[in-house]
């Protein structure tokens, strides 16, 4: 048997990317995408690059956790031992986990290991994960923001429909329920039936208000109501489901598999939306998807379309990819979107071609770790 491969060196970079459009929702605005890149080089000469992101705070903390604690533990490890590495890193940071910073750091490591693995096996990620579907329906969130007027929403949703998208997301959470209803009704009247309208409250409501809003939204044929309540209020979500036929979607603010288990066990959601960066990488993301399949619940991941398209194509219960270009500035690869479907890349690895010269110019951190 040949010598097992081991991780020889690690390189960490941070690039800050401005969002392409102004993004506001019920609780926050998207200032800058702090993008953390981790490249590991193994003894077989193959490199794997993974990444995670924040929307404006915490990027330097993720980088510090990786540099000071996680990356040194990777040196010498066999990159095939993904599960062992994930568990070891998780427990090594136990006093700061479960938490966003730790999960984002774990995601950098885990996605890099999957990139290495898929390159090593010369397979595209979606086939390595199971090859469940060659294309995935796509909806757009590159619009629909809370500050936009009803007329602006109508114009951009009609444009999205004309481009071939099968659905669009509209933020809800204007001060009065009547404003939300007016905006959504205008869009529904314009696009007609058959085009999906997703809504997203970004955790902005309390229990009584969300029951009222959901009742007012009935008849608009919404595909789902996303994050209607604070993510930690599992019982509130379960109660809401008893009051409304609108599917309830949660997951972008969850950082561990056990949080999804809690929602699914309690029947507190209809759709799960794990974010591969916030859940800690591909290893836990796939577990969430399979767990949801066991509950006959679809997975519609949050953001990160460049990676989620491959994850969705890899599992049988993925229903939608969310269209928000995130990496155009620092990659040369582009996702193929045609006729309302997104197609996973067929190149080996994660399918991302990083533009290293551009990254070199724009990076605000570059750290190398080896023996
Ligand atoms: Mg959301």
């Amino acid at each position: 048997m040949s010598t097992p491969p081991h991780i020889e060196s690690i390189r960490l970079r941070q690039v800050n990317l401005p969002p392409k459009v102004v993004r506001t929702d019920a609780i926050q605005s998207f200032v800058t995408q702090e993008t953390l890149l981790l490249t590991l080089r193994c003894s077989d000469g193959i490199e794997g690059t993974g990444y995670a992101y924040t929307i404006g705070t915490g990027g330097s903390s993720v980088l510090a956790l990786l540099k000071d604690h996680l990356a040194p533990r990777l040196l010498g490890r066999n990159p095939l031992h993904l599960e062992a590495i994930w568990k070891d890193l998780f427990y090594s940071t136990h006093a700061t986990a479960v938490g966003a910073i730790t999960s984002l750091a774990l995601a950098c490591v885990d996605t890099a290991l999957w990139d290495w693995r898929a390159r090593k096996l010369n397979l595209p990620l979606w086939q390595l994960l199971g090859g469940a579907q060659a294309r995935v329906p796509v909806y757009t969130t590159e619009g629909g923001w809370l500050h936009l007027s009803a007329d602006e929403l109508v114009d951009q949703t009609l444009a999205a429909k004309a481009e071939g998208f099968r659905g669009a997301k509209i933020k809800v959470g204007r001060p009065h329920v009547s404003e939300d209803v007016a905006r959504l009704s205008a869009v529904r009247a314009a696009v007609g039936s058959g085009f999906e309208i997703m809504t997203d409250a970004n955790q902005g409501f309390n229990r009584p208000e969300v029951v009222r809003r959901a009742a007012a939204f009935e008849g608009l044929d919404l595909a789902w109501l996303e994050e209607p309540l604070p993510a930690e209020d599992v019982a509130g979500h379960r109660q809401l489901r008893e009051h409304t036929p609108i599917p309830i979607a949660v997951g972008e603010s969850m950082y561990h598999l056990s949080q999804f288990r809690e929602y699914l066990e309690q029947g507190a959601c209809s759709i799960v939306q794990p974010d591969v960066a916030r859940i800690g990488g591909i290893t836990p993301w796939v577990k969430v998807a399979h767990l949801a399949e066991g509950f006959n619940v679809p997975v519609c991941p949050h953001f990160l379309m460049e990676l989620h398209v491959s994850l969705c194509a890899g599992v049988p219960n993925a229903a939608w990819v969310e269209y928000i270009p995130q990496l155009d500035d620092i990659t040369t690869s582009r996702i193929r979107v045609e006729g309302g479907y997104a197609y996973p890349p067929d190149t080996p690895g994660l399918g991302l071609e990083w533009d290293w010269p551009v990254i070199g110019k724009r990076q605000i951190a570059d750290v190398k770790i080896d023996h």
Side-chain angles (χ1 to χ4, degrees), residues 26-106:
I27 60 166
Q28 65 203 337
S29 61
F30 189 133
V31 185
T32 181
Q33 180 185 297
E34 298 177 310
T35 310
L36 289 313
L37 296 160
L38 185 151
T39 300
L40 44 85
R41 183 174 180 80
C42 296
S43 53
D44 57 3
I46 298 176
E47 290 187 345
T49 295
Y51 69 107
Y53 74 100
T54 80
I55 66 169
T57 52
S60 57
S61 304
V62 176
L63 192 77
L65 184 62
L66 283 165
K67 176 171 77 73
D68 297 339
H69 302 287
L70 301 187
R73 295 182 82 93
L74 288 171
L75 297 174
R77 298 293 298 260
N78 182 338
L80 288 168
H81 297 174
L82 248 165
E83 290 277 2
I85 291 172
W86 202 98
K87 190 175 172 186
D88 174 57
L89 295 186
F90 184 75
Y91 282 108
S92 78
T93 57
H94 200 250
T96 56
V98 173
I101 301 298
T102 305
S103 291
L104 293 169
L106 282 167

Side-chain angles (χ1 to χ4, degrees), residues 198-210:
M198 294 73 175
T199 59
D200 188 355
N202 293 92
Q203 310 182 74
F205 297 130
N206 56 35
R207 289 188 186 186
E209 183 63 21
V210 80

Side-chain angles (χ1 to χ4, degrees), residues 167-189:
K169 189 181 285 177
I170 311 287
K171 299 288 184 184
V172 295
R174 298 283 286 197
H176 195 268
V177 58
S178 59
E179 297 172 77
D180 280 346
V181 171
R183 296 165 93 244
L184 295 172
S185 300
V187 173
R188 174 53 80 203

Side-chain angles (χ1 to χ4, degrees), residues 169 171 200 202 226-227 252 273 302 322:
K169 189 181 285 177
K171 299 288 184 184
D200 188 355
N202 293 92
E226 178 174 324
E227 289 202 307
E252 73 176 76
Q273 303 185 292
H302 170 250
E322 178 172 27

Side-chain angles (χ1 to χ4, degrees), residues 92-334:
S92 78
T93 57
H94 200 250
T96 56
V98 173
I101 301 298
T102 305
S103 291
L104 293 169
L106 282 167
C108 289
V109 174
D110 185 77
T111 51
L113 287 168
W114 277 96
D115 189 40
W116 176 87
R117 174 188 288 234
R119 287 175 190 273
K120 176 85 173 169
L121 297 171
N122 202 32
L123 285 172
L125 181 65
W126 77 278
Q127 292 188 18
L128 179 58
L129 292 176
Q133 42 188 341
R135 60 182 194 173
V136 187
V138 64
Y139 74 96
T140 182
T141 307
E142 198 60 331
W145 305 99
L146 202 58
H147 64 277
L148 300 174
S149 69
D151 286 345
E152 288 171 311
L153 291 178
V154 165
D155 288 347
Q156 61 177 213
T157 312
L158 284 174
K161 187 182 176 189
E163 274 180 64
F165 287 107
R166 292 167 175 264
K169 189 181 285 177
I170 311 287
K171 299 288 184 184
V172 295
R174 298 283 286 197
H176 195 268
V177 58
S178 59
E179 297 172 77
D180 280 346
V181 171
R183 296 165 93 244
L184 295 172
S185 300
V187 173
R188 174 53 80 203
V191 298
S193 59
F195 183 86
E196 297 287 7
I197 300 174
M198 294 73 175
T199 59
D200 188 355
N202 293 92
Q203 310 182 74
F205 297 130
N206 56 35
R207 289 188 186 186
E209 183 63 21
V210 80
V211 170
R212 180 188 182 199
R213 299 255 175 165
F217 298 163
E218 278 184 36
L220 292 167
D221 194 22
L222 303 181
W224 69 64
L225 174 56
E226 178 174 324
E227 289 202 307
L229 291 161
E232 59 273 17
D233 188 5
V234 183
H237 286 81
R238 184 173 43 71
Q239 288 170 11
L240 173 60
R241 284 199 72 209
E242 291 165 6
H243 283 96
T244 181
I246 302 171
I248 302 302
V250 297
E252 73 176 76
S253 304
M254 296 189 208
Y255 297 91
H256 194 265
L257 174 67
S258 61
Q259 295 165 333
F260 287 91
R261 184 202 64 215
E262 181 78 9
Y263 267 89
L264 290 164
E265 270 182 345
Q266 304 267 341
C269 68
S270 333
I271 292 162
V272 292
Q273 303 185 292
D275 175 313
V276 64
R278 295 180 179 174
I279 191 71
I282 295 167
T283 302
W285 190 98
V286 170
K287 291 177 185 178
V288 171
H290 292 334
L291 180 69
E293 185 190 359
F295 283 87
N296 200 16
V297 162
V299 56
C300 304
H302 170 250
F303 205 26
L304 285 159
M305 68 170 193
E306 293 87 351
L307 185 48
H308 280 145
V309 65
S310 296
L311 303 186
C312 284
V315 301
N317 56 324
W320 290 96
V321 168
E322 178 172 27
Y323 183 86
I324 312 184
Q326 182 179 13
L327 297 175
D328 284 0
D329 288 359
I330 52 170
T331 54
T332 55
S333 47
R334 295 289 178 270

